Amino acid sequence: MSGGQARRLCPRAIVVPPRMAAYTAASRAVFEVFHSTTPLVEGLSIDEAFLDVGGLRRIAGPAEAIAARLRAEVADRVGLPITVGVARTKFLAKVASRVAKPDGLLVVAPERELEFLHPLPVRLLWGVGPVTAGKLHDVGVQTVGEVAALSESTLVTLVGAAAGRQLHALSHNRDPRRVRTGVRRRSIGSQRALGRRARPLPPAEVDAILVGLVDRVTRRMRAADRPGRTVMLRLRFADFTRATRSHTVANATYSTELILAAARALLSDAAPMISQRGLTLVGIAVGNLGGRGADGAVQLLLPLEGAPSAALDGAMDRIKDRFGATALTRGVLLGRDPGWEMPMLPD
DNA sequence: TCTGGGGTCCTAGGACCC
DNA sequence: TCTGGGGTCCTAGGACCC
């Protein structure tokens, strides 16, 4: 429930501020346990991850035993209870962990998948929030099994192409997605709610908040070495309507000045809306992130001295270190003049 | 029914390119 | 200047997730 509602119900409740730093540290410690279990870890959020343990059976036993050990180890090393869902697909594992929460372990045996899935309420399907659930309820659909009884085309008309296809697949427990490692954040943002207020915030104060947000965001971008190209301004108004404005610059940057300039321009474009509707939230996010490990190729040329293979290994190491490359091709440049043709001979 | 903060993905229109 | 066919990128809004 909302904080306001909670306070009304419990006037003497003690309200403590969140401690993000503590949660981040705990998350890191938990993920260390995950990585010591398998290299195939896909983080989903600060407190969730997929672990592919399919290849571990011979050395670590069945998934159920691995899950039990995982729980014990996290409790032991970090002191936190965790819930584990075990299944053949990511989707089902997630549903299982949701059902088993808190501090539980639930294994969905391959032969009982639909039996487990179909009685559950549609809200447990991934991608079904209040709006989609409402649309389904409108046509009398309450459970996953009832979704499964609908044709894909019916679902597509009901909730749109992508969501409809996904719903159809998930309700039949079709989820071919693999566990992906190395998934990177696509945007970095920060926002601040201003609360409802009697008189509008003076522009100078809105600007000061904007400066603070941009500073926080660009700091994080620099720390992560992820410059970005698209600056997004997010606004929310007193009537709970929202608006976003964005601008894309030619070259990725994490310069506070450049991003602040873009943010200010977007804000001044939105000035009429703000004075009409009353601002209650302002946020800045930067997307189109590049930087270390962004898609693309890096080529490092170096003169050949000594043993060719040693020189190549050295070059590969440098590229790995400097750019965090995940896929490498090595080759040999023939000729002496860099302006010449450059046939690359893989390996 | 209305806290706050951090994200992702999809859709659709428009400008532009060959 | 228009038509057809095949694309990309940007912008804005919306739904959803933790």
Side-chain angles (χ1 to χ4, degrees):
Chain A
M1 66 182 65
S2 75
Q5 193 186 355
R7 276 179 224 251
R8 277 194 298 283
L9 291 170
C10 306
R12 298 170 66 191
I14 297 166
V15 179
V16 298
R19 294 185 300 143
M20 280 319 293
Y23 313 148
T24 306
S27 172
R28 210 163 276 151
V30 172
F31 271 76
E32 267 173 38
V33 176
F34 293 166
H35 282 288
S36 70
T37 303
T38 170
L40 300 179
V41 177
E42 176 180 344
L44 208 62
S45 69
I46 194 166
D47 71 345
E48 280 190 311
F50 290 115
L51 276 68
D52 184 343
V53 297
L56 261 46
R57 176 169 286 270
R58 294 182 66 173
I59 48 172
E64 183 170 3
I66 297 173
R69 271 207 304 279
L70 214 49
R71 276 165 43 77
E73 229 172 292
V74 169
D76 185 44
R77 279 162 61 177
V78 193
L80 291 174
I82 63 166
T83 298
V84 183
V86 179
R88 283 191 313 144
T89 62
K90 284 164 91 169
F91 160 64
L92 211 57
K94 178 155 163 82
V95 173
S97 79
R98 240 172 149 167
V99 170
K101 235 170 231 192
D103 196 12
L105 167 58
L106 182 58
V107 180
V108 181
E111 65 277 9
R112 324 196 77 172
E113 288 170 345
L114 294 181
E115 190 184 322
F116 164 74
L117 190 59
H118 280 178
L120 297 173
V122 289
R123 271 307 306 258
L124 282 175
L125 284 171
W126 218 352
V128 177
V131 177
T132 306
K135 288 176 185 168
L136 292 170
H137 293 161
D138 285 348
V139 295
V141 170
Q142 306 285 343
T143 67
V144 177
E146 287 162 358
V147 174
L150 298 176
S151 71
E152 188 181 74
S153 60
T154 304
L155 286 166
V156 165
T157 353
L158 213 55
V159 301
R165 280 195 288 268
Q166 174 172 286
L167 228 52
H168 188 253
L170 293 185
S171 69
H172 291 279
N173 191 34
R174 280 197 299 270
D175 176 16
R177 297 167 307 163
R178 302 287 86 194
V179 170
R180 289 164 58 205
T181 59
V183 179
R184 321 193 68 208
R185 181 191 313 290
R186 303 175 74 87
S187 70
I188 293 177
S190 183
Q191 60 183 56
R192 175 145 162 224
L194 312 173
R196 287 167 175 277
R197 47 189 72 231
R199 60 185 68 240
L201 212 57
E205 283 186 44
V206 177
D207 186 69
I209 289 168
L210 194 70
V211 171
L213 291 171
V214 169
D215 182 60
R216 204 173 347 162
V217 167
T218 50
R219 255 174 222 281
R220 284 167 56 203
M221 292 169 74
R222 287 189 291 268
D225 199 8
R226 303 288 312 269
R229 289 183 54 223
T230 303
V231 181
M232 286 168 281
L233 175 72
R234 182 195 312 272
L235 304 171
R236 200 180 67 201
F237 305 102
D239 59 1
F240 257 81
T241 56
R242 283 178 290 264
T244 59
R245 292 290 179 273
S246 68
H247 178 69
T248 301
V249 299
N251 298 304
T253 178
Y254 40 47
S255 147
T256 306
E257 275 165 64
L258 293 179
I259 287 172
L260 180 59
R264 277 182 169 145
L266 292 169
L267 187 66
S268 83
D269 283 352
M273 293 176 95
I274 292 173
S275 62
Q276 255 174 35
R277 295 197 240 168
L279 197 59
T280 56
L281 176 142
V282 54
I284 283 291
V286 183
N288 244 321
L289 297 179
R292 262 174 105 95
D295 290 346
V298 167
Q299 188 171 286
L300 183 61
L301 301 177
L302 74 171
L304 206 50
E305 288 164 14
S309 63
L312 281 169
D313 288 342
M316 310 254 301
D317 286 344
R318 281 163 65 186
I319 289 179
K320 269 190 200 158
D321 287 351
R322 280 180 40 196
F323 302 102
T326 52
L328 296 163
T329 304
R330 43 187 201 171
V332 178
L333 171 62
L334 301 176
R336 288 193 296 178
D337 182 340
W340 285 7
E341 228 183 324
M342 295 188 188
M344 295 297 291
L345 307 179
D347 264 337

